[in-house]
Amino acid sequence: MRRALRDNGLSIGFGLLFLAALVGQAFAGQAAYNDRQLADAGASISLAQYVTSSDFAVDVAENWQSEYLQFFLYVFATVWLVQRGSPESKLVEETGTESDKKQKVGRHATANSPEWARAGGWRTTVFSRSLGAVMGLLFGLSWLAQSIAGRAAYNAERLAQLQDPLTWLGYAGSADFWNRTLQNWQSEFLAMGSIVVISIYLRQRGSPESKPVGEPHDTTETSG
């Protein structure tokens, strides 16, 4: 058990942080929702009612989709774009999908390589792009969930104001939807760009996201 916890500490740690933050968001969101209800002479709702509401769903989904977009773009961008001196970038001269030998696929695979890396043909092609494909799929699904939940929450407000509800396409093109979407996207793009550039000049000893403390600033693709 102790070894399993050590070997999987990063995923377990972030999994627990995720659950704690989600629970905290549920309680804080319920309190904020009930405050608005009281201000509008509406009825308060229970925690169970809140976490199954469109208000909670859209808040969660809009954050998830921006995070998956971040990883989806980062996975693909780092194939072709490089940043000299950043540990977040591969070597400048290795731009592109790289050779089969470098990627250890087909006849260059080792005995310990995943089966689909050794198989060749369509299975290796699919496996070679599976990370980006899954990140893209998760982004698409969470963005769809945001649009569905956001439409329900937005239409509830419109009905309360005696306005006609919007169709899904109408909401997907609305200012409310794109305001929610773009305010998350810009923060993700800023965060990605910041870590790429700042990690050229600053260090964090022992972190694979940083170069070794004594490495020159222009050293690229070196973990600490």
Side-chain angles (χ1 to χ4, degrees):
M1 175 63 73
R2 182 176 298 177
R3 181 174 181 178
L5 290 174
R6 182 201 66 186
D7 291 351
N8 300 284
L10 196 58
S11 57
I12 293 172
F14 276 104
L16 292 174
L17 287 172
F18 163 73
L19 291 175
L22 189 63
V23 171
Q25 179 187 351
F27 279 101
Q30 180 209 11
Y33 181 88
N34 284 338
D35 284 344
R36 293 195 302 271
Q37 287 292 94
L38 290 174
D40 296 333
S44 299
I45 62 174
S46 67
L47 180 64
Q49 289 174 311
Y50 177 71
V51 297
T52 56
S53 71
S54 58
D55 287 83
F56 180 70
V58 69
D59 287 343
V60 171
E62 73 179 58
N63 285 301
W64 289 10
Q65 61 88 4
S66 65
E67 296 300 330
Y68 284 123
L69 174 66
Q70 175 186 9
F71 290 116
F72 169 64
L73 290 179
Y74 204 69
V75 165
F76 280 105
T78 51
V79 175
W80 302 102
L81 302 179
V82 294
Q83 177 63 57
R84 184 179 297 277
S86 176
E88 300 296 319
S89 169
K90 59 185 178 180
L91 296 174
V92 175
E93 58 270 21
E94 293 180 355
T95 300
T97 55
E98 302 176 356
S99 66
D100 288 354
K101 183 177 181 180
K102 174 74 174 178
Q103 288 291 313
K104 299 182 180 179
V105 298
R107 63 188 181 88
H108 300 287
T110 67
N112 294 325
S113 295
E115 180 182 350
W116 279 37
R118 291 185 274 110
W122 68 269
R123 287 184 292 177
T124 297
T125 299
V126 170
F127 186 63
S128 297
R129 292 159 178 80
S130 56
L131 178 60
V134 170
M135 290 295 107
L137 177 63
L138 290 172
F139 162 65
L141 291 175
S142 56
W143 200 22
L144 177 63
Q146 177 198 340
S147 68
I148 294 172
R151 172 179 174 258
Y154 188 67
N155 280 341
E157 293 181 4
R158 288 179 65 87
L159 290 171
Q161 297 169 0
L162 303 179
Q163 295 177 304
D164 292 334
L166 297 180
T167 63
W168 179 81
L169 283 176
Y171 179 71
S174 70
D176 182 80
F177 177 73
W178 284 103
N179 177 55
R180 285 178 173 273
T181 297
L182 292 174
Q183 67 178 311
N184 283 282
W185 286 7
Q186 55 86 14
S187 64
E188 299 302 335
F189 298 152
L190 176 63
M192 285 192 289
S194 296
I195 188 63
V196 166
V197 174
I198 293 174
S199 61
I200 297 174
Y201 303 103
L202 302 181
R203 308 287 189 270
Q204 181 59 56
R205 185 168 184 161
S207 174
E209 300 302 313
S210 167
K211 293 181 284 191
V213 177
E215 282 289 337
H217 290 323
D218 61 354
T219 299
T220 310
E221 198 198 35
T222 304
S223 298

